């Protein structure tokens, strides 16, 4: 099973729909996922797949497939952060 | 007996506590075992109890809770964006709870606050202080993972969103909020 499939299955279980019934490309606002459930799903995916997402990442998510690709991309980096953990002496970039 | 504005405001408090309970219920469900799971579950329980306290307070005052659409938290997510990770969830909660504590504290200073309202406000505020405390502890612990700058930047962004939301709510309900500024 591909990483994307595992992520889709996880999301589908969170929103209590079969994977094949989820419209992965529908706008999040039009999907059967309210904002609280979306937050829960985003947090759950990070715990489940051991990745970390940030404000600017989630801001680019317009549909559930974006979320799938975002998490899968983070997993492929091989570490738990999409960017370096920030120390106090290092200024943020971007 | 309470006036119409007070009736609305107490009902708004109630709806917001219910919304908070719903939010934390979902998160508590997903939390992995550990300190955050324990505290978040307690936090959810507290919010639900606060909703019950407001329900009792309102009915003790001789009226029924108004069915209001939308709670303060809904506006928060619109203004601040969806929290991207657990740190942001705690940060947005921290900012929100601080707002609630300020609001309830201010309400206590109003003249002629009836005893049921006073009792309810004081009871809830004791819990809110613990809510702020456990979240502050966890955000401090998360500095090792996210960095102090990231957390402080997030809090600052959310505080700006909070000011925006509070401004909108007070403008939209100016007549009712005027009750708070006699």
């Amino acid at each position: 099973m591909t990483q994307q499939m595992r992520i889709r299955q996880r999301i589908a279980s969170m929103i209590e729909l079969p994977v094949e019934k989820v419209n992965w490309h529908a706008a999040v606002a039009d999907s059967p996922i309210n904002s609280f459930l979306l937050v829960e799903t985003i947090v759950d995916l990070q715990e489940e797949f051991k990745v970390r997402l940030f404000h600017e990442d989630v801001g680019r998510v317009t549909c559930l497939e974006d979320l799938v690709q975002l998490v899968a991309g983070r997993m492929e980096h091989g570490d738990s952060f999409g960017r370096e953990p920030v120390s106090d002496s290092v200024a943020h970039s971007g | 007996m309470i006036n119409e504005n007070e009736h609305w405001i107490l009902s708004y408090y109630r709806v917001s506590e219910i919304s908070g309970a719903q939010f934390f219920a979902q998160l508590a469900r997903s939390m992995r075992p550990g300190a955050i799971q324990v505290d978040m579950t307690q936090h959810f329980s507290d919010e639900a109890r606060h909703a019950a306290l407001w329900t009792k307070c309102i009915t003790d005052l001789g009226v029924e809770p108004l069915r209001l659409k939308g709670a303060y938290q809904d506006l928060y997510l619109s203004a601040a964006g969806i929290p991207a990770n657990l740190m942001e969830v705690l940060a947005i909660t921290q900012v929100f709870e601080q707002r609630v504590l300020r609001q309830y504290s201010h309400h206590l200073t109003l003249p002629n606050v009836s005893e049921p309202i006073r009792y309810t406000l004081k009871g809830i505020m004791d819990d809110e202080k613990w809510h702020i405390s456990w979240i502050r502890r966890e955000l401090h612990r998360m500095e090792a993972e996210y960095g102090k700058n990231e957390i402080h930047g997030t809090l600052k962004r959310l505080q700006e969103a909070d000011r925006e939301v509070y401004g909108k709510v007070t403008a939209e309900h100016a007549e009712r909020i005027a009750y708070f500024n006699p």
Side-chain angles (χ1 to χ4, degrees):
Chain A
M1 186 186 298
T2 64
Q3 285 177 345
Q4 283 89 341
M5 272 310 303
R6 287 174 54 212
I7 297 165
R8 288 193 192 97
Q9 286 198 340
R10 188 72 184 184
I11 293 174
S13 75
M14 293 293 292
I15 63 178
E16 297 179 350
L17 278 178
V19 171
E20 59 274 15
K21 296 274 189 195
V22 178
N23 186 342
W24 296 100
H25 297 279
V28 171
D30 298 332
S31 73
I33 184 167
N34 63 35
S35 53
F36 287 175
L37 183 53
L38 181 60
V39 174
E40 183 189 3
T41 302
I42 288 171
V43 171
D44 178 80
L45 288 173
Q46 294 175 67
E47 299 292 310
E48 179 69 15
F49 297 106
K50 307 284 189 288
V51 298
R52 194 59 76 226
L53 303 180
F54 295 90
H55 179 65
E56 53 268 34
D57 299 322
V58 173
R60 290 193 291 266
V61 169
T62 61
C63 61
L64 293 177
E65 183 62 22
D66 286 347
L67 188 55
V68 171
Q69 297 306 323
L70 178 62
V71 173
R74 284 291 149 81
M75 291 170 72
E76 282 177 22
H77 284 140
D79 55 34
S80 62
F81 290 93
R83 60 185 185 192
E84 292 299 317
V86 178
S87 68
D88 291 338
S89 60
V90 176
H92 255 285
S93 60
Chain B
M1 287 294 291
I2 58 174
N3 63 47
E4 186 187 332
N5 288 336
E6 208 168 19
H7 187 189
W8 182 88
I9 287 164
L10 298 188
S11 297
Y12 193 80
Y13 289 165
R14 174 181 176 270
V15 164
S16 292
E17 299 286 356
I18 290 174
S19 186
Q22 289 175 314
F23 183 56
F24 283 108
Q26 291 202 224
L27 288 170
R29 188 171 61 175
S30 293
M31 282 298 110
R32 283 7 181 213
I36 294 181
Q37 184 193 58
V38 172
D39 288 336
M40 193 169 282
T41 307
Q42 179 63 51
H43 196 137
F44 142 65
S45 168
D46 289 345
E47 302 288 5
R49 191 175 64 83
H50 297 168
L53 286 172
W54 280 124
T55 305
K56 184 178 185 321
C57 176
I58 293 167
T59 53
D60 283 351
L61 291 168
V63 293
E64 293 177 359
L66 296 171
R67 293 186 70 177
L68 301 177
K69 289 183 184 175
Y72 200 77
Q73 291 90 330
D74 302 328
L75 301 174
Y76 250 66
L77 293 184
S78 292
I82 296 290
N85 50 51
L86 185 56
M87 180 274 286
E88 293 202 2
V89 168
L90 296 186
I92 200 170
T93 304
Q94 181 79 309
V95 171
F96 176 73
E97 297 283 17
Q98 286 168 337
R99 168 64 65 190
V100 168
L101 200 53
R102 275 200 296 277
Q103 178 69 18
Y104 286 177
S105 295
H106 179 59
H107 198 142
L108 271 177
T109 67
L110 298 178
N112 305 318
V113 175
S114 67
E115 192 50 40
I117 296 175
R118 187 173 294 279
Y119 173 82
T120 304
L121 285 167
K122 285 182 176 176
I124 292 176
M125 283 167 65
D126 282 343
D127 288 341
E128 301 294 1
K129 288 170 190 168
W130 174 76
H131 294 170
I132 290 170
S133 170
W134 86 260
I135 291 173
R136 181 178 293 135
R137 183 198 73 221
E138 287 303 324
L139 286 174
H140 180 68
R141 189 188 60 76
M142 285 178 173
E143 287 178 6
E145 181 180 347
Y146 290 88
K148 190 184 282 189
N149 285 351
E150 175 76 15
I151 294 176
H152 285 190
T154 299
L155 284 167
K156 187 177 173 194
R157 173 171 59 82
L158 294 172
Q159 283 157 358
E160 286 169 6
D162 168 71
R163 282 190 286 273
E164 176 190 328
V165 169
Y166 191 72
K168 278 185 184 169
V169 170
T170 52
E172 184 179 342
H173 303 287
E175 285 185 22
R176 302 190 188 280
I177 303 296
Y179 161 78
F180 278 101
N181 298 298

